[in-house]
């Protein structure tokens, strides 16, 4: 069987190659025919040559030989490529066409240079000459620019007379040359300015005036060069600052590090470095094309009176006194070393770091001691320490040590105001949000623009919603409405409704799960529009486009709006996957794969971290994840691909796995209350009201329909017929009859319910069938009669 399968694959591969060879042969003969037609038309030998030459003359007149040469070049290129030629630079083709039209118009102007009467029909005269040569199979009479020249000349002579036709011909030729050679507008202006200076040098007697003008022009050029160099220098310095290495820590024999003991704790951030692609510098030669491009993407102009919310709106939470933890650490130190000794493990504790919720003991095993031997003692160490649960980090990244994380007797709450004020100030990083503090007390931040998407999962009450509120509030405090826009999807209807009316929202908070898929599709359409915009302006991402816009604003003083970031927040992914899993997953995957360069970023949250919600494709495209407390190691592995989240304490205790890191970082999340969120929202909405975008609003149509009321599933009609004939409907019956999976069968039943075929579910009772077999047949006949054939 395997050999037969391999033979079939080989035969199919040969068939594809044969098809490609056949296509190349076809295009070879097509190109050859063009070459022969052009050659015969240029030489106009014999009856066939004269006929082809006259056909060319009918089109372009006396330039038929040049036209034949172009025919030959085109055919030769088709023969070589073996494929249909694609126009890579349409602007050059337009320029060449304008030059050719100007030549044809010139030939016709010369043909009628002696003048014409008011009754002269230019097109009729030209056609008479062409018809004479065609009937006599000769190429003798001068026909000017052919029918193309006659048509253009008849219009220009009627509108502009003879002199105007000459002027129009001249400008057409100049415009064609500019487009074909892609001559820059500013270069032309400089050439004209220099020519004017040379002329004025012969006319003007005052040399001082001329020298002053030249010095002023030179000063402007130098100023532009200096501004460009300064912008490049600032970008380079910012990049070097972000890439500075952290100072190595020197570990003593044993020390206790309490993050509250330091008056000035060191704040660091987790910055996920991406492959920095230098945005292409605006090319001035495409300036003419750029100014004429228009795309229908609504953009918001900056409200200069808008003020960012101050940190004084946030509440201060006093830190809990954890001085008693120092004595507890010394006691645990002795317990750990005794436990290691009792199990015959040669290891010692070299450092202890007291964090907000856990204390991390760093263990140094002796040479020859396996890491797995210490990890296998997890339950025994928890028993000896009388701890709720402990988490092993073996080894600690960047150190030859093993970390043991033990819960504190008193948990110190981390306030959102504390981390927002301690966060390093980085201008321009609008999507940099603080998550909380790690065990050493350092502020852990995440830049959403570099992640580029984030998955948050955890059980109910673990702190997931507080984390999302912290991220949204941080964005509101860092970015103005024209800089960041948000799309919020909240099937639970209670978590994100507080943000309705915020000017940063594209639409009101979407609470209907069936509309959520449409909302995500709207974001996909916005992404595609942005990519069309980038392609039109010759840039690769949103940063390059915004830099280009700001450069033009500096040059001409206008206030063109820039594109904002878009952050899509889904608070409960599981509810959406139950209602429309295919549509939601397709939209999420498409955004995750492509939306990064378009400035669109997603935050997906769920309290049911199972494989049918967090699918493998979603995980592959959302590399940055946060895991809160879960019930099992399976759920932990589903979120962060490793155990550990099942040992978290809840109430904001999280494992943060940023893109590019091998192991997660334990962070105590910052707490923000509902009152603080309401104060921030109130401060924002009083300054500016929300202006929702109509093109981003989801419609009332169900996401399962394709816009025409018909099902997207090819089995739908057969399923309706079967249900009508059997007068019964169930998911299991569809599975058995059509041999399909549960999800597809469930979607078919849901579509039947939406279309009034079956009734709603009544628990253990079977669904009611609302149509008969006769009605289903009549509907099919009616639908056939509506066809246009």
């Amino acid at each position: 069987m395997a050999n037969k399968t391999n033979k079939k694959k080989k035969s199919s591969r040969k068939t594809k190659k044969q098809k490609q060879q056949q296509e190349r042969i076809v295009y070879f003969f097509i190109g050859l025919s063009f070459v022969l037609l052009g050659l015969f038309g240029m030489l106009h030998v014999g009856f066939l040559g004269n006929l082809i030459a006259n056909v060319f003359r009918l089109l372009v007149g006396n330039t038929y030989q040049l036209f034949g040469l172009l025919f030959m070049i085109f055919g030769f290129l088709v023969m070589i490529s073996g494929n249909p030629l694609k126009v890579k630079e349409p602007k050059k083709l337009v320029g060449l066409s304008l030059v050719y039209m100007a030549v044809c118009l010139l030939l016709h102007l010369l043909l009628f240079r002696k003048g014409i009467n008011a009754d002269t029909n230019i097109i009729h005269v030209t056609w008479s000459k062409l018809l004479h040569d065609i009937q006599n199979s000769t190429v003798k009479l001068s026909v000017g620019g052919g029918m193309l020249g006659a048509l253009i000349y008849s219009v220009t002579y009627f509108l502009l007379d003879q002199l105007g036709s000459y002027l129009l011909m001249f400008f057409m030729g100049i415009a064609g040359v500019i487009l074909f050679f892609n001559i820059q507008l500013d270069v032309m202006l400089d050439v004209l300015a220099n020519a004017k200076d040379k002329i004025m040098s012969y006319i003007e007697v005052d040399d001082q005036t001329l020298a002053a003008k030249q010095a002023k022009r030179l000063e402007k050029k130098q100023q532009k060069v200096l501004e460009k160099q300064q912008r490049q220098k600032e970008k380079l310095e910012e990049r070097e600052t972000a890439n500075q290495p952290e100072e190595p820590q020197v570990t003593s024999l044993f020390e206790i590090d309490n993050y509250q003991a330091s008056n000035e704790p060191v704040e660091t951030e987790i910055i996920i470095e991406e492959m920095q692609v230098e945005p292409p510098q605006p090319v001035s030669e495409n300036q003419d094309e750029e100014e004429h491009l228009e795309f229908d993407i609504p953009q918001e102009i900056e409200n200069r009176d808008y003020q960012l919310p101050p940190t004084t709106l946030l509440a201060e939470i006093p830190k809990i006194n954890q001085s008693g933890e120092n004595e507890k650490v010394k006691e645990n130190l002795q317990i750990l070393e005794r436990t290691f000794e009792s199990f015959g493990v040669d290891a010692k504790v070299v450092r202890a770091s007291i964090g907000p919720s856990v204390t991390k003991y760093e263990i140094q095993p002796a040479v020859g001691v396996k890491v797995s031997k210490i990890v296998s003692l997890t339950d025994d160490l928890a028993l000896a320490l009388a701890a709720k649960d402990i988490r092993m980090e073996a080894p600690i990244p960047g150190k030859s040590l093993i970390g043991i994380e033990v819960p504190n007797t008193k948990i110190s709450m981390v306030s959102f105001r504390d981390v927002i004020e301690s966060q390093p100030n980085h201008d321009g990083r609008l999507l940099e949000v603080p998550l909380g503090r790690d065990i050493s007390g350092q502020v852990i931040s995440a830049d959403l623009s570099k992640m580029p998407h984030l998955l948050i999962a955890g059980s109910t009450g673990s702190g997931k919603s507080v984390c999302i509120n912290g991220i949204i509030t941080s964005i509101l405090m860092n970015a103005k409405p024209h800089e960041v826009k948000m799309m919020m999807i909240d099937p639970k209807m209670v978590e994100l409704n507080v943000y309705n009316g915020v000017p940063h929202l594209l639409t009101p908070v979407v609470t209907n799960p069936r509309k959520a898929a449409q909302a995500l599709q709207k974001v996909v359409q916005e992404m595609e529009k942005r990519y069309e915009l980038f392609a039109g302006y010759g840039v690769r991402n949103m940063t390059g486009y915004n830099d280009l816009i700001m450069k033009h604003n500096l040059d001409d003083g206008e206030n063109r709006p820039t594109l904002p970031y878009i952050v899509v927040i889904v608070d409960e992914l599981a509810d959406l996957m139950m209602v429309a899993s295919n549509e939601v997953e397709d939209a999420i995957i498409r955004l995750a794969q492509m939306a990064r360069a378009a400035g669109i970023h997603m935050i997906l949250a769920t309290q049911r971290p199972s494989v049918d919600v967090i699918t493998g494709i979603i995980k592959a495209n959302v590399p940055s994840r946060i895991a809160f407390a879960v019930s099992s190691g399976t759920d932990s592995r589903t979120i962060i691909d490793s155990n550990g989240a099942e040992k978290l304490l809840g109430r904001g205790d999280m494992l943060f796995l940023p893109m590019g890191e091998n192991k997660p970082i334990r962070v105590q999340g910052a707490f923000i209350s509902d009152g603080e969120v309401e104060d921030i929202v109130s401060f924002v909405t009083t300054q500016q009201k929300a202006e929702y975008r109509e093109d981003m609003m989801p419609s009332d149509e169900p996401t399962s329909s394709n816009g025409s009321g018909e099902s997207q599933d090819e089995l739908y009609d057969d399923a309706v017929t079967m249900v009508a004939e059997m007068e019964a409907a169930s998911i299991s019956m569809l599975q058995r009859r059509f041999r399909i999976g549960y999800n597809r069968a469930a979607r078919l039943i849901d579509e039947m319910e939406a279309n009034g075929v079956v009734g709603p579910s009544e628990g253990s009772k079977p669904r009611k069938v609302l149509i008969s077999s006769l009605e289903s047949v009549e509907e099919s006949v009616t639908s056939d009669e509506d066809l246009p054939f």
Side-chain angles (χ1 to χ4, degrees):
M1 291 295 292
N3 293 331
K4 291 182 179 179
T5 305
N6 293 332
K7 290 180 180 179
K8 289 181 180 179
K9 291 182 179 179
K10 290 181 180 179
S11 63
S12 63
R13 290 176 185 171
K14 290 180 180 179
T15 303
K16 291 180 181 177
K17 290 182 180 179
Q18 290 174 353
K19 287 181 179 179
Q20 292 177 354
Q21 291 176 353
Q22 290 175 357
E23 289 180 358
R24 291 185 64 87
I25 293 173
V26 169
Y27 282 110
F28 176 83
F29 283 107
I30 292 174
L32 181 61
S33 62
F34 272 91
V35 172
L36 294 176
L37 286 174
L39 181 62
F40 294 155
M42 286 179 60
L43 300 178
H44 55 85
V45 290
F47 175 79
L48 180 61
N50 288 331
L51 178 62
I52 296 174
N54 282 319
V55 171
F56 288 170
R57 295 173 71 225
L58 178 67
L59 297 174
V60 294
N62 295 341
T63 64
Y64 69 95
Q65 290 181 322
L66 176 61
F67 195 74
L69 179 62
L70 294 177
F71 246 64
M72 293 178 64
I73 294 173
F74 177 78
F76 184 69
L77 294 176
V78 173
M79 289 172 61
I80 294 176
S81 64
N83 291 307
L85 295 182
K86 296 181 180 179
V87 180
K88 294 183 179 179
E89 298 186 25
K91 187 165 61 174
K92 289 192 174 184
L93 183 60
V94 173
L96 183 62
S97 301
L98 284 175
V99 173
Y100 209 119
M101 291 167 62
V103 171
C104 291
L105 178 58
L106 176 62
L107 293 177
H108 241 74
L109 285 167
L110 296 176
L111 181 65
F112 292 93
R113 61 184 178 274
K114 295 182 180 180
I116 58 176
N117 298 325
D119 298 332
T120 302
N121 190 329
I122 298 172
I123 297 177
H124 179 71
V125 171
T126 307
W127 171 249
S128 299
K129 292 186 176 184
L130 286 166
L131 186 61
H132 177 271
D133 280 352
I134 292 173
Q135 290 175 347
N136 297 321
S137 185
T138 57
V139 182
K140 291 182 179 180
L141 299 178
S142 175
V143 293
M147 296 306 294
L148 177 62
L151 181 63
I152 299 174
Y153 182 48
S154 62
V155 175
T156 58
Y157 185 82
F158 173 75
L159 296 176
L160 304 172
D161 208 352
Q162 190 80 356
L163 179 60
S165 299
Y166 274 106
L167 292 175
L168 182 62
M169 177 272 300
F170 175 75
F171 287 116
M172 282 176 61
I174 294 296
V177 171
I178 291 174
L179 289 174
F180 184 79
F181 291 102
N182 209 3
I183 300 176
Q184 304 174 14
L185 181 61
D186 53 352
V187 172
M188 290 184 58
L189 294 176
D190 290 341
V191 171
L192 293 175
N194 293 331
K196 188 195 78 170
D197 290 341
K198 290 181 179 180
I199 295 172
M200 296 301 294
S201 64
Y202 294 104
I203 298 175
E204 290 187 0
V205 182
D206 190 359
D207 294 337
Q208 293 182 353
T209 304
L210 181 62
K213 290 183 178 180
Q214 292 178 348
K216 188 175 182 180
R217 186 177 295 108
L218 181 61
E219 183 181 355
K220 287 183 178 179
K221 289 184 178 179
Q222 292 177 349
Q223 184 67 22
K224 289 182 178 180
V225 172
L226 290 175
E227 288 178 358
K228 183 177 180 180
Q229 292 177 349
Q230 182 65 24
R231 287 196 296 267
Q232 292 178 348
K233 183 179 179 182
E234 290 176 356
K235 290 182 180 179
L236 182 61
E237 290 177 352
E238 183 179 354
R239 192 175 298 113
E240 290 177 350
T241 304
N243 293 334
Q244 285 182 353
E246 296 181 358
E247 297 181 358
Q249 289 181 343
V250 180
T251 306
S252 61
L253 180 61
F254 176 75
E255 59 178 311
I256 300 176
D257 180 18
N258 192 326
Y259 86 101
Q260 291 185 353
S262 176
N263 294 326
E264 295 182 359
V266 182
E267 292 85 10
T268 62
E269 56 180 348
I270 302 298
I271 299 297
I272 312 305
E273 290 296 336
E274 64 176 341
M275 293 180 63
Q276 293 288 343
V277 180
E278 188 68 25
Q281 296 294 330
V283 183
S284 58
E285 65 184 11
N286 292 332
Q287 185 174 354
D288 291 343
E289 183 179 356
E290 291 167 0
E291 292 178 352
H292 295 287
L293 288 172
E294 294 182 0
F295 288 87
D296 187 18
I297 299 182
Q299 301 172 29
E300 184 175 340
I301 300 177
E302 178 182 2
N303 180 7
R304 299 186 184 276
D305 297 330
Y306 184 88
Q307 299 292 327
L308 296 175
T311 57
T312 54
L313 295 174
L314 303 173
E316 292 184 352
I317 301 177
K319 296 180 180 178
I320 297 177
N321 184 11
Q322 289 185 318
S323 58
E325 294 296 329
N326 292 333
E327 297 298 326
K328 186 68 175 177
V329 165
K330 295 177 181 178
E331 180 183 345
N332 288 342
L333 166 65
Q334 297 176 1
I335 295 174
L336 286 171
E337 291 185 343
R338 284 201 306 266
T339 306
F340 287 140
E341 184 179 357
S342 64
F343 284 97
V345 176
D346 188 4
K348 58 181 179 180
V349 183
V350 296
R351 182 184 177 89
S353 299
I354 303 175
S357 57
V358 296
T359 299
K360 185 176 184 178
Y361 298 88
E362 297 182 2
I363 312 300
Q364 186 176 23
V367 178
V369 177
K370 292 184 177 180
V371 175
S372 59
K373 193 171 184 180
I374 298 178
V375 174
S376 63
L377 299 176
T378 301
D379 295 336
D380 300 289
L381 292 174
L383 177 63
L385 295 170
K388 176 183 177 182
D389 208 343
I390 66 173
R391 175 178 174 266
M392 285 276 191
E393 189 176 20
I396 299 174
K399 297 182 180 180
S400 57
L401 302 172
I402 297 174
I404 300 178
E405 298 171 358
V406 182
N408 293 337
T409 55
K410 291 184 178 180
I411 296 178
S412 178
M413 187 178 295
V414 177
S415 70
F416 184 74
R417 177 172 180 174
D418 177 37
V419 296
I420 205 78
E421 291 178 344
S422 301
Q423 184 185 20
N425 185 20
H426 295 106
D427 294 334
R429 295 183 183 173
L430 302 175
L431 300 183
E432 184 179 3
V433 295
L435 300 177
R437 292 186 180 270
D438 65 359
I439 293 174
S440 61
Q442 300 173 350
V443 175
I444 303 298
S445 300
D447 193 347
L448 296 177
S449 62
K450 293 183 171 66
M451 298 192 98
H453 311 291
L454 181 63
L455 173 64
I456 304 175
S459 59
T460 304
S462 58
K464 175 175 57 67
S465 297
V466 175
C467 178
I468 294 175
N469 284 331
I471 292 174
I472 297 174
T473 305
S474 178
I475 294 174
L476 295 179
M477 297 182 71
N478 290 336
K480 294 183 178 181
H482 78 284
E483 296 173 326
V484 176
K485 291 294 183 182
M486 289 185 279
M487 167 80 76
M488 298 186 187
I489 299 174
D490 179 21
K492 292 189 294 186
M493 304 183 186
V494 293
E495 296 293 342
L496 301 181
N497 275 342
V498 66
Y499 298 104
N500 269 326
V502 169
H504 298 70
L505 289 180
L506 290 170
T507 66
V509 178
V510 180
T511 56
N512 188 340
R514 295 188 179 275
K515 292 184 179 181
Q518 295 182 16
L520 292 173
Q521 290 294 338
K522 297 285 187 180
V523 180
V524 172
Q525 295 173 9
E526 174 75 11
M527 176 191 70
E528 293 172 348
K529 288 182 182 178
R530 290 192 173 192
Y531 274 115
E532 292 178 6
L533 182 67
F534 298 160
Y537 279 87
V539 296
R540 299 182 63 179
N541 51 32
M542 192 186 79
T543 304
Y545 171 80
N546 287 344
D547 289 343
L548 183 64
I549 293 299
M550 288 187 287
K551 175 186 177 299
H552 284 299
N553 289 343
L554 289 175
D555 291 342
D556 54 22
E558 294 187 10
N559 187 22
R560 300 181 185 88
T562 56
L563 287 178
Y565 287 101
I566 295 179
V567 181
V568 181
I569 302 168
V570 180
D571 188 33
E572 186 46 70
L573 184 61
D575 290 351
L576 305 186
M577 298 296 283
M578 283 192 300
V579 174
S581 59
N582 285 350
E583 294 85 351
V584 170
E585 186 175 9
D586 291 344
I588 289 175
I589 292 170
R590 184 157 173 78
L591 288 173
Q593 290 175 340
M594 298 181 59
R596 181 181 197 171
I600 301 175
H601 307 277
M602 288 188 300
I603 300 175
L604 307 176
T606 181
Q607 63 183 9
R608 202 182 81 190
S610 56
V611 292
D612 58 337
V613 176
I614 308 175
T615 63
I617 302 179
I618 291 179
K619 286 176 62 177
N621 291 283
V622 185
S624 302
R625 302 161 201 166
I626 294 177
F628 287 91
V630 293
S631 58
S632 65
T634 302
D635 291 343
S636 177
R637 290 190 295 273
T638 303
I639 305 169
I640 56 175
D641 299 323
S642 63
N643 291 332
E646 76 279 5
K647 298 183 181 295
L648 296 177
L649 306 176
R651 300 183 62 186
D653 192 13
M654 71 176 80
L655 290 177
F656 175 42
L657 180 64
M659 183 179 68
E661 295 290 332
N662 295 326
K663 291 189 177 181
I665 304 165
R666 191 164 188 174
V667 181
Q668 177 62 40
F671 175 76
I672 181 170
S673 64
D674 294 339
E676 294 173 86
V677 173
E678 292 173 0
D679 291 341
I680 296 292
V681 171
S682 176
F683 182 87
V684 170
T685 53
T686 52
Q687 295 188 77
Q688 184 174 336
K689 300 299 181 183
E691 296 180 2
Y692 300 128
R693 282 178 51 176
E694 293 295 334
D695 60 320
M696 300 295 287
M697 295 281 191
S699 62
D700 293 331
E701 298 178 359
T703 58
S704 59
S705 63
N706 56 8
S708 62
E710 298 178 357
S711 174
Q712 295 180 351
D713 197 316
E714 58 185 7
L715 295 178
Y716 178 79
D717 294 334
D718 295 336
V720 171
T721 302
M722 186 199 75
V723 167
E725 290 176 353
M726 300 184 67
E727 297 184 355
S730 68
I731 296 174
S732 59
M733 183 176 68
L734 294 180
Q735 286 182 268
R736 292 192 303 271
R737 179 66 179 268
F738 297 104
R739 296 184 179 181
I740 58 178
Y742 176 85
N743 290 337
R744 188 176 183 184
R747 284 196 301 271
L748 288 171
I749 291 293
D750 291 340
E751 290 180 16
M752 291 182 197
E753 180 182 348
N755 295 332
V757 177
V758 299
S761 175
E762 299 178 4
S764 59
K765 296 181 180 180
R767 291 176 181 261
K768 294 181 180 179
V769 179
L770 304 179
I771 65 170
S772 63
S773 58
L774 180 61
E775 292 177 24
S776 65
V777 171
E778 290 176 351
E779 288 178 0
S780 63
V781 171
T782 303
S783 62
D784 291 339
E785 291 175 352
D786 293 337
L787 293 175
F789 48 81

